[in-house]
């Protein structure tokens, strides 16, 4: 049975003989009684694999539950690069152990079965931490769920926070070497969220009521809450140069003694901005020319985009084509024949040498990081990770004029908000924003009020938030765009489509000519008024919008887009893809015309006792 598995591990005769010798020396009649800690790595691995296969045969799911473990393969699930055995015997309370087993089994049976075992590991950890604490603190060791109250859950929460704050070890979880795991912000958040999910599900399904577990104990378990997670920064210029230096790249290639593609993986990651996993899992036929253009095909499994294609430069195309040749040559040398067309389609571009008889299994993250981290440390640059290459590319795209929508589509994100995480303003972008004076617009309570100028400059954080906010989703409106998200998502407008008096209304460069024509219409209307009082009233009525139009012109001029906006002809479809179309400004931040000198029609210019104002 072992040799018939798709990826059978290697069992040397000497390792098998050593396992038999250990069993005979320790008088072990069954592998279940064998102390695996006393075995070497290879003999212990063989014993574990045999035990795993035997458990699948001799234990039904209910018997596994009774014995305190769960086998994911009982539910037709197998996770890559890890065992499917989940040990729950460390949970002291039988009711909590059974509750955890049932919850895990429901997950594995459901259509929302997790892609990796991380979700199951988190739930197991939460149940272990809660169970061990209750055994030490709760009446009767927490074995009777009917006596548990809110104060027991609150003491567990306080203990976890105390251990996180002081860096104390966990009561239940051990590392691979046997030393206790330390409670951190991440592990504490995992425990809180998973324990809350487990108990809430029990309450919703009626399992808690059947156990007699009180509602107050369940509701006292909090969510982890918001935590401060710092976004990765792009590579600084000097770091980017060092990580792309030819001499340094040669050192990286030198760490790959078998030439499995370490340097090629890194260069493909930097040039394309793909996730490391997406590059590692490339298929052999990931390259192609279409209409003479070099294209790069890959799977964005994190967001569910499969067979996605992007254009790549010729240098990267040639680099990966050479890797294709090396992979084919390695396959031929190991198997004695060239792969068929069907076999080539299944081949990995970067195949591992471990348990990979057909060449379809890719290198792992562990393999990549075991070489990348020492390389970066040897360059003495500081702590940097490969994912920052993705941030660096996103920042370069933004600087080149791409909108968040374009960046999201290129990087393979599911939303603009996710793409915002990768976008960082460059110094030139920031200076363009800081050069403007931002005042309230026609939709605010005080049109034209100074919000920021020379006396109160925008901070870097404010400018970054403003620039990113203006690139979020919107829906077309008359003369501009609406950025009120309930309306964008299809809801009704709570202000009866009064866009021009709404602070959620934004103007883009493509709207400049429309508003210039509107301004001329208003002036003609005012000039044709029957008397001066009516004309002054009309001038004052349209004054906030005139401020916004002048502000739009100044903002476009500051970005070097004014001439493009004035020449824009929206009758040509290609104009919708120009940068002047995608550059939008909030109307309330554009009404800054006349900030240098007050208008003769301004309310602040006219005295309170002006008879013309009273007449108007």
């Amino acid at each position: 049975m072992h040799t018939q598995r798709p990826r059978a591990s290697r069992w040397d005769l000497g390792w098998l003989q050593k396992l038999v010798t250990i069993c005979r020396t320790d008088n072990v009649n069954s592998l279940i009684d064998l102390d695996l800690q006393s075995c070497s790595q290879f003999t212990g691995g063989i014993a574990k694999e045999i035990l795993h296969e035997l458990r699948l045969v001799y234990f039904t799911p209910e018997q596994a539950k009774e014995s305190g473990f769960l086998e994911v393969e009982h539910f037709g699930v197998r996770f890559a690069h890890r065992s499917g055995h989940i040990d729950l015997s460390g949970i002291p309370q039988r009711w909590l152990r059974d509750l955890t087993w049932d919850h895990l089994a429901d997950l594995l049976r459901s259509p929302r079965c997790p892609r990796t075992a991380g979700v199951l590991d988190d739930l197991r950890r939460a149940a272990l931490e809660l169970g061990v604490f209750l055994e030490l603190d709760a009446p009767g060791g927490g074995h009777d769920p009917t006596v548990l109250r809110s104060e027991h859950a609150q003491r567990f929460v306080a203990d976890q926070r105390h251990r996180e704050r002081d860096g104390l070890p966990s009561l239940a979880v051990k590392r691979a070497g046997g030393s206790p795991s330390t409670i951190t912000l991440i592990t504490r958040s995992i425990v809180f969220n998973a324990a809350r999910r487990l108990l809430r599900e029990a309450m919703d399904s009626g399992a808690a009521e059947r156990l007699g577990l009180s509602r107050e104990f369940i509701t006292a378990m909090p969510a982890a809450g918001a935590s401060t997670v710092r976004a990765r920064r792009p590579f600084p210029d000097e770091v980017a140069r060092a990580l792309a230096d030819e001499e340094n790249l040669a050192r990286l290639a030198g760490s790959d003694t078998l030439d499995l593609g370490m340097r090629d993986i890194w260069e493909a990651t930097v040039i394309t901005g793909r996730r490391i996993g997406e590059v590692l899992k490339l298929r052999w036929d990931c390259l192609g020319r279409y209409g003479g253009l070099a294209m790069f095909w890959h799977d964005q499994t994190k967001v569910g985009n499969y067979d996605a294609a992007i254009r790549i430069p010729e240098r990267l195309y040639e680099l990966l084509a050479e890797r294709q040749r090396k992979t084919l040559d390695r396959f031929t040398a190991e198997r004695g024949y060239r792969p068929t067309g069907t076999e080539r389609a299944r081949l990995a571009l970067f195949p591992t040498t471990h348990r990979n008889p057909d060449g379809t299994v890719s290198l792992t993250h562990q393999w990549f990081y075991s070489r990348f981290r020492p390389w970066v440390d040897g360059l003495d640059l500081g702590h940097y990770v490969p994912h920052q290459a993705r941030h660096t590319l996103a920042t370069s795209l933004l600087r080149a004029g791409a909108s968040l929508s374009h960046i999201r589509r290129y990087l393979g994100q599911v939303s603009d908000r996710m793409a915002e995480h990768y976008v960082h303003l460059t110094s030139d972008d920031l200076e363009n924003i800081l050069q403007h004076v931002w005042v309230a617009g026609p939709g605010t309570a005080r049109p034209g009020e100074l919000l920021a100028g020379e006396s109160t400059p925008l901070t870097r954080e404010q400018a970054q938030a403003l620039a990113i906010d203006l690139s979020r989703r919107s829906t077309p409106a008359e003369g501009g765009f609406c950025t009120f998200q309930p309306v964008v998502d299809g809801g009704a407008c709570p202000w009866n489509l009064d866009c021009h008096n709404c602070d959620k209304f934004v103007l883009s460069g493509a709207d400049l000519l429309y508003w210039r024509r509107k301004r001329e219409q208003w002036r003609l209307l005012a000039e044709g008024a029957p008397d001066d009082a009516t004309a002054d009233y009309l001038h004052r009525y349209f004054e906030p919008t005139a401020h916004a139009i002048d502000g739009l012109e100044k903002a476009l001029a500051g970005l070097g887009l004014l001439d493009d906006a004035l020449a824009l002809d929206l009758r040509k479809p290609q104009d919708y893809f120009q940068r002047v179309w995608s550059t939008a400004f909030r109307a309330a931040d554009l009404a800054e015309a006349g900030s240098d000198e007050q208008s003769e029609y301004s309310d602040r210019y006219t005295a309170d006792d002006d008879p013309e104002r009273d007449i108007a």
Side-chain angles (χ1 to χ4, degrees), residues 42-154:
F42 297 111
T43 56
I46 293 174
K48 288 179 181 178
E49 193 167 340
I50 294 174
L51 285 171
H52 173 69
E53 297 296 342
L54 291 176
R55 280 193 293 261
L56 293 176
V57 174
Y58 290 106
F59 284 85
T60 65
E62 286 302 321
Q63 289 171 333
K65 178 180 179 180
E66 187 70 23
S67 300
F69 67 89
L70 181 142
E71 295 289 345
V72 299
E73 291 187 46
H74 277 152
F75 304 89
V77 178
R78 177 176 291 177
F79 297 114
H81 308 302
R82 66 156 290 160
S83 168
H85 178 74
I86 299 178
D87 183 16
L88 303 176
S89 60
I91 304 174
Q93 299 80 11
R94 177 59 188 268
W95 66 268
L96 183 57
R97 183 167 67 243
D98 289 349
L99 198 65
T100 306
W101 194 98
D102 290 338
H103 185 74
L104 296 179
D106 289 342
L107 274 179
L108 294 170
R109 293 190 188 104
S110 71
R112 53 190 178 94
C113 176
R115 293 188 300 113
T116 66
V119 175
L120 309 184
D121 292 336
D122 292 348
L123 289 163
R124 174 182 175 273
R125 181 184 187 114
L128 274 173
E129 294 279 11
L130 178 60
V132 172
F133 178 83
L134 291 177
E135 187 177 39
L136 297 174
D137 183 79
H143 292 276
D144 183 5
T146 61
V147 302
L148 297 178
R149 295 293 180 267
S150 60
E151 58 267 20
H152 303 118
Q154 290 165 0

Side-chain angles (χ1 to χ4, degrees), residues 307-526:
D307 257 354
I310 59 172
R311 186 179 175 183
I312 57 174
E314 286 296 324
R315 176 179 172 276
L316 179 60
Y317 184 90
E318 295 171 0
L319 185 74
L320 295 180
E322 177 64 17
R323 176 53 53 184
Q324 284 181 324
R325 185 192 63 77
K326 292 179 180 180
T327 300
L328 281 184
D329 291 346
R330 188 184 299 274
F331 182 96
T332 304
E334 292 178 352
R335 294 159 183 82
Y337 68 93
R338 299 287 286 184
T340 64
T342 303
E343 288 176 323
R344 282 199 303 268
R346 295 199 303 263
L347 281 179
L349 182 63
F350 303 105
T352 180
T353 58
H354 176 64
R355 296 172 61 181
N356 190 18
D358 55 1
T360 60
V361 182
S362 302
L363 294 168
T364 63
H365 286 78
Q366 291 80 0
W367 182 92
F368 176 83
Y369 282 105
S370 67
R371 288 153 180 79
F372 181 83
R373 290 193 183 107
W375 176 58
V376 174
D377 293 342
L379 298 178
D380 194 23
L381 299 173
H383 179 69
Y384 293 98
V385 297
H387 202 72
Q388 288 175 263
R390 190 169 168 85
H391 294 254
T392 305
L393 179 62
T395 303
S396 299
L397 291 173
L398 178 70
R399 188 175 183 178
S403 67
L404 276 183
S405 178
H406 296 137
I407 295 173
R408 172 182 59 81
R409 185 168 55 185
Y410 181 79
L411 293 181
Q413 306 293 349
V414 296
S415 66
D416 284 349
R417 186 173 295 275
M418 185 180 292
E420 289 174 13
H421 180 71
Y422 292 95
V423 174
H424 306 261
L425 287 182
T426 60
S427 57
D428 291 341
D429 302 319
L430 184 64
E431 289 174 2
N432 284 336
I433 296 172
L434 295 178
Q435 288 170 358
H436 302 302
V437 177
W438 304 93
V439 300
T444 60
R446 297 181 179 179
E449 181 185 13
L450 184 65
L451 299 179
E454 295 182 358
S455 59
T456 56
L458 290 174
T459 66
R460 183 182 183 88
E461 292 76 12
Q462 290 170 335
Q464 180 172 347
L466 176 62
I468 290 176
D469 181 65
L470 294 177
S471 298
R472 287 183 179 169
R473 294 182 304 155
S474 60
T475 189
E478 183 184 0
F481 295 90
C482 173
T483 61
F484 188 57
Q485 292 306 303
V487 174
V488 173
D489 293 334
C493 176
W495 298 287
N496 297 322
L497 301 179
D498 187 15
C499 298
H500 300 172
N501 293 314
C502 178
D503 61 352
K504 301 297 188 297
F505 180 68
V506 300
L507 308 181
S508 75
D511 301 307
L512 180 59
L513 288 179
Y514 169 88
W515 286 105
R516 276 195 164 195
R517 288 193 293 268
K518 281 287 187 182
R519 182 169 56 187
E520 291 302 319
Q521 293 174 3
W522 298 337
R523 287 175 178 172
L524 291 174
L525 182 62

Side-chain angles (χ1 to χ4, degrees), residues 11 138 157 161 182 342 359 363 401 497 517 526 533 595:
W11 289 7
V157 170
R161 287 176 172 157
T182 302
T342 303
L363 294 168
L497 301 179
R517 288 193 293 268
S595 58

Side-chain angles (χ1 to χ4, degrees), residues 436 512 516 519 547-559 561-562 566 590 592:
H436 302 302
L512 180 59
R516 276 195 164 195
R519 182 169 56 187
H547 286 179
I549 298 172
D550 291 341
L552 178 59
E553 292 178 352
K554 291 184 179 181
L556 290 171
L559 295 175
L561 296 174
L562 181 57
L566 293 175
L590 290 176
E592 54 99 17

